[in-house]
Amino acid sequence: MTRMRLAAATVLTMIAFAGNSLLCRIALKQTHIDAATFTTIRIVSGAIALWLIVRLRNGANSISGNWSSATALVAYAACFSLAYISLSAAAGALLLFGAVQVTMIGYGIWSGERLRVLGVTGIGCAFAGLIVLVLPGVTAPSLGGSALMIAAGIAWGIYSLQGKTSVGDPTATTAGNFMRAIPFTIVFSLCGLHWLSIDSAGVYYAIASGAITSGIGYAIWYTALPGLQATQAAVVQLSVPIIAAAGGILFLGEQMTMRLIVASVAILGGIALVIVGRNRSA
């Protein structure tokens, strides 16, 4: 892959990842679809899109995946949708990304990885930013929504860690995980049947989130990933909450508060310090 194609694929992926937050927030704020139905349609449409991509590229028999990863995927998707009932796109993306990275960094420390001064400083900054974001106040995001999004981030962090140990084509693995997740999301929808609410606009947003920003987005990312160094892949994802914040302002009329700016600088800057510190240690 040429540098130009690699850059284009990386930018498209980051926009797709941020698009998941925007599509979910728009659907739950501006349409009548409920969170459980949105989640189910997102997972089903993502599974179909990924299955088609893998079949066209490798053949139908190459689908893989496992049930533990599918469980983590559903936990992420369900908490993600429920959280966006009350969170802004920017706050949700920031909490999600921060929780994912802290989960993965925490696992590294638990596994014996040693952080240098730069890394310890970064962890401290990230946690300080999280505290600033969720402290009670007029501009504080919903505590319940924040807790759900942090849970979504932890689940996605676990999913990502499990993906590191898988072998074979990562797109085929992701396709298999999405397909295995379908029964769980149907149960989730049945449990929330008394909240059932749906309209065509909400369905379209859910399909776009599943097929385009999730399914196609992951396929593009896995195409670009071999061309990126580990540090580059980690650092570039710092742009996702920023893109989501910009989209929230443009498409949802959300306000960029001073609390969110300070928390973003602390959380994203702290994570960047940890990433840089780990790279220097390596």
Side-chain angles (χ1 to χ4, degrees):
M1 182 179 287
T2 64
R3 288 186 178 181
M4 186 173 292
R5 290 182 63 189
L6 177 62
T10 303
V11 170
L12 283 174
T13 305
M14 296 307 105
I15 292 173
F17 288 171
N20 272 322
S21 292
L22 293 171
L23 288 170
C24 186
R25 179 58 177 157
I26 290 170
L28 296 177
K29 182 180 180 181
Q30 298 183 356
T31 78
H32 298 293
I33 195 169
D34 66 281
T37 303
F38 181 93
T39 302
T40 298
I41 295 174
R42 178 188 176 190
I43 292 294
V44 171
S45 57
I48 293 171
L50 285 162
W51 179 79
L52 287 172
I53 290 169
V54 174
R55 175 167 184 151
L56 290 172
R57 191 174 62 188
N58 302 331
N61 294 328
S62 60
I63 298 293
S64 53
N66 60 78
W67 288 104
S68 61
S69 291
T71 303
L73 175 62
V74 172
Y76 147 75
C79 291
F80 180 89
S81 298
L82 290 171
Y84 267 128
I85 294 174
S86 57
L87 292 181
S88 68
L94 181 60
L95 285 166
L96 175 71
F97 178 83
V100 170
Q101 294 298 318
V102 168
T103 299
M104 297 181 73
I105 291 167
Y107 176 79
I109 295 171
W110 180 79
S111 299
E113 183 179 323
R114 304 179 76 175
L115 293 179
R116 295 182 181 272
V117 175
L118 201 61
V120 173
T121 303
I123 288 288
C125 286
F127 274 111
L130 182 60
I131 292 170
V132 168
L133 183 62
V134 301
L135 274 177
V138 176
T139 59
S142 160
L143 188 58
S146 297
L148 282 166
M149 191 58 82
I150 289 171
I154 293 171
W156 189 255
I158 293 170
Y159 180 85
S160 299
L161 288 167
Q162 290 175 334
K164 284 188 172 185
T165 62
S166 64
V167 295
D169 180 3
T171 304
T173 300
T174 304
N177 291 334
F178 265 76
M179 293 175 71
R180 285 176 172 81
I182 291 174
F184 295 117
T185 56
I186 292 173
V187 171
F188 177 48
S189 286
L190 291 174
C191 290
L193 204 56
H194 55 293
W195 291 323
L196 180 64
S197 178
I198 194 168
D199 64 5
S200 58
V203 170
Y204 296 148
Y205 283 125
I207 291 173
S209 177
I212 300 174
T213 58
S214 293
I216 296 176
Y218 295 145
I220 297 173
W221 178 235
Y222 293 136
T223 300
L225 203 53
L228 297 171
Q229 295 177 0
T231 303
Q232 291 174 324
V235 170
V236 75
Q237 293 179 66
L238 294 172
S239 65
V240 173
I242 298 170
I243 297 170
I249 293 170
L250 288 172
F251 302 114
L252 289 162
E254 296 177 353
Q255 299 297 314
M256 180 58 69
T257 65
M258 184 55 65
R259 177 196 289 259
L260 187 59
I261 292 172
V262 171
S264 297
V265 171
I267 293 173
L268 299 181
I271 292 170
L273 286 176
V274 175
I275 293 169
V276 172
R278 293 169 77 180
N279 186 49
R280 288 183 177 179
S281 297

